[in-house]
Amino acid sequence: MGSQRPIWVDNPSAEYNPLQYLSAVGFGSSRSTAEDNARANLARIFESKISSESRHEERYSELITSSDANFSNQTDQKTQVRVLSSLTLSNVQVGKSWTDELGHVYVLVYLHRNSTAELHHSKIQDNSKKIMAYLERALEEDGQWENYALLAAADELNRENQELIAQLRIISTGDAGLISTSLPYDSEVLSMQTQAAGARISFKVVCDNKEGLALLPLIREVITNLGFRISDDADNIVRYTYSTEELSLDNPRNKYIRYQINISVSDSHAQQIFNFTDSGREAHFTFQDARERAMRTASSKITGEFNKKLHDYLASKAMISN
């Protein structure tokens, strides 16, 4: 601590030859924070975005989660800026660390180009085998839901392959060009097939009470974000109610509202796919403010839990197994 500032703090390439390694330095008030920051800086080399998570990238995330040394940066610095995209970095190693006289911790992270490229090759090949298996099953499947689920699963793995190839262009340019032209499937055709399969599935969203109409655009958005259409003539039905009631509780400071939401999803054969229910209580200084807070809570449950339940249903149709 407090020793002379190492050269690598300002120039990580002095420690790791850039022809063989990619490296970055991070700092923070603790070792773990500095490591996260270093990984974030390494991720920036791969042009990761500063953004919120994409709903599309969340689909079938269980398909692309690896148990090996993968990294999805979730750094939370003093500015609370989150650096993250769909980017997953493999083979990141932690190198030297140094603490200055003020207690700031600096950490050096790196990845070896050749060994990381080999890991990417293996992952792309594994993904491609799974993609081809999904596509073969999709060709044999007549059901709209099953067909779409299989294509969507394949397309999500394809998206990971494209991200891995994009990383390879930085890690090993020649390898990236060779792999991108030797995939056993056409990436653009797969994406178009998935979009077309989703567009063939349409939903009618029906609200059964007046109070729930405010949630209608949000529920429609959840459906369309999956690639499905909204149509008043659709056979697949999303039917829901949302209601609130004022509660009389012995608390002179706050007013309480209880909310209840029920969403039922049925297919074209009028068979219920699943039912989602949620209820809770919200408080504020006025009933109106409490009611608005309840609406925000219900909205977050729709974009969160209901959305996930629909994802899980699609996953079950593809009979996904890791």
Side-chain angles (χ1 to χ4, degrees):
M1 179 182 294
S3 58
Q4 184 176 0
R5 186 181 182 94
I7 296 175
W8 59 260
V9 170
D10 302 301
N11 181 20
S13 295
E15 190 72 25
Y16 292 102
N17 187 335
L19 295 178
Q20 296 177 305
Y21 297 90
L22 289 171
S23 58
V25 174
F27 75 96
S29 59
S30 67
R31 173 65 181 256
S32 61
T33 302
E35 287 185 12
D36 283 347
N37 181 240
R39 291 186 173 99
N41 290 333
L42 188 63
R44 288 189 180 96
I45 297 175
F46 293 87
E47 300 178 341
S48 74
K49 299 183 290 292
I50 299 177
S51 65
S52 61
E53 294 89 345
S54 164
R55 290 187 181 91
H56 191 86
E57 288 161 354
E58 290 171 353
R59 287 207 338 237
Y60 297 103
S61 60
E62 67 272 20
L63 283 173
I64 59 176
T65 300
S66 171
S67 60
D68 294 329
N70 289 342
F71 169 75
S72 294
N73 176 44
Q74 295 181 345
T75 295
D76 189 10
Q77 300 295 331
K78 294 179 181 178
T79 56
Q80 302 297 308
V81 173
R82 192 173 185 182
V83 180
L84 184 63
S85 70
S86 60
L87 182 64
T88 301
L89 296 182
S90 299
N91 207 32
V92 177
Q93 306 294 319
V94 179
K96 295 182 176 181
S97 65
W98 175 71
T99 304
D100 66 15
E101 65 276 5
L102 298 177
H104 297 143
V105 182
Y106 294 80
V107 172
L108 177 63
V109 299
Y110 63 94
L111 61 81
H112 188 267
R113 289 180 183 270
N114 288 344
S115 62
T116 304
E118 291 175 0
L119 289 174
H120 279 45
H121 291 169
S122 177
K123 184 61 176 177
I124 290 170
Q125 290 175 354
D126 288 344
N127 283 347
S128 296
K129 290 178 181 178
K130 293 177 182 178
I131 288 170
M132 295 307 296
Y134 282 129
L135 292 179
E136 289 176 6
R137 289 170 54 193
L139 287 174
E140 300 171 355
E141 184 56 63
D142 294 328
Q144 281 188 335
W145 283 94
E146 291 79 4
N147 181 263
Y148 172 76
L150 290 164
L151 288 172
D155 193 37
E156 195 62 29
L157 287 171
N158 168 55
R159 288 176 182 273
E160 189 194 8
N161 272 356
Q162 297 307 310
E163 179 63 44
L164 291 171
I165 291 171
Q167 291 180 26
L168 273 176
R169 291 193 180 99
I170 297 172
I171 297 169
S172 178
T173 304
D175 289 341
L178 180 62
I179 287 182
S180 63
T181 58
S182 62
L183 293 174
Y185 63 92
D186 188 305
S187 175
E188 293 184 4
V189 170
L190 172 56
S191 295
M192 289 189 292
Q193 288 176 328
T194 304
Q195 292 174 14
R200 287 193 290 269
I201 300 176
S202 59
F203 285 89
K204 179 179 181 180
V205 182
V206 179
C207 179
D208 285 334
N209 69 324
K210 184 177 180 180
E211 189 174 10
L213 288 174
L215 292 171
L216 185 61
L218 184 62
I219 294 178
R220 285 177 171 172
E221 182 180 359
V222 170
I223 300 300
T224 56
N225 281 340
L226 283 171
F228 304 136
R229 291 187 300 110
I230 299 296
S231 172
D232 289 336
D233 299 325
D235 294 324
N236 299 299
I237 306 295
V238 177
R239 186 178 295 275
Y240 76 97
T241 59
Y242 172 79
S243 60
T244 60
E245 62 174 325
E246 298 178 358
L247 301 178
S248 298
L249 300 179
D250 188 16
N251 186 329
R253 182 179 180 182
N254 290 325
K255 304 297 182 181
Y256 291 86
I257 288 290
R258 178 178 175 82
Y259 74 87
Q260 173 80 34
I261 185 168
N262 183 79
I263 307 176
S264 176
V265 182
S266 301
D267 63 19
S268 57
H269 303 293
Q271 297 294 315
Q272 186 180 82
I273 295 173
F274 64 83
N275 189 69
F276 173 80
T277 60
D278 185 71
S279 62
R281 189 175 66 186
E282 294 291 345
H284 214 284
F285 297 131
T286 68
F287 280 122
Q288 180 60 32
D289 287 338
R291 188 171 283 107
E292 290 177 359
R293 178 171 288 182
M295 175 65 73
R296 290 194 296 270
T297 300
S299 297
S300 69
K301 293 298 180 71
I302 291 171
T303 57
E305 295 176 21
F306 168 69
N307 194 23
K308 183 180 184 301
K309 199 164 187 177
L310 190 51
H311 290 169
D312 291 344
Y313 174 75
L314 290 173
S316 71
K317 285 297 183 180
M319 295 179 290
I320 295 171
S321 59
N322 291 324

mmCIF file of all heavy atoms in Angstrom, residues 234 290 306:
data_model
loop_
_atom_site.group_PDB
_atom_site.id
_atom_site.type_symbol
_atom_site.label_atom_id
_atom_site.label_comp_id
_atom_site.label_asym_id
_atom_site.label_seq_id
_atom_site.Cartn_x
_atom_site.Cartn_y
_atom_site.Cartn_z
ATOM 1 N N ALA A 234 -58.146 -12.136 -33.528
ATOM 2 C CA ALA A 234 -57.274 -13.253 -33.137
ATOM 3 C C ALA A 234 -58.040 -14.297 -32.345
ATOM 4 O O ALA A 234 -58.998 -13.996 -31.619
ATOM 5 C CB ALA A 234 -56.103 -12.731 -32.325
ATOM 6 N N ALA A 290 -52.037 6.507 -3.259
ATOM 7 C CA ALA A 290 -51.888 5.072 -3.008
ATOM 8 C C ALA A 290 -52.363 4.266 -4.204
ATOM 9 O O ALA A 290 -51.772 3.238 -4.560
ATOM 10 C CB ALA A 290 -52.670 4.680 -1.758
ATOM 11 N N PHE A 306 -45.434 -11.671 -15.131
ATOM 12 C CA PHE A 306 -46.294 -12.168 -16.203
ATOM 13 C C PHE A 306 -45.489 -12.406 -17.476
ATOM 14 O O PHE A 306 -45.649 -13.423 -18.157
ATOM 15 C CB PHE A 306 -47.424 -11.169 -16.475
ATOM 16 C CG PHE A 306 -48.193 -11.456 -17.742
ATOM 17 C CD1 PHE A 306 -49.012 -12.575 -17.835
ATOM 18 C CD2 PHE A 306 -48.078 -10.615 -18.842
ATOM 19 C CE1 PHE A 306 -49.718 -12.853 -19.009
ATOM 20 C CE2 PHE A 306 -48.773 -10.886 -20.011
ATOM 21 C CZ PHE A 306 -49.598 -12.001 -20.093
#
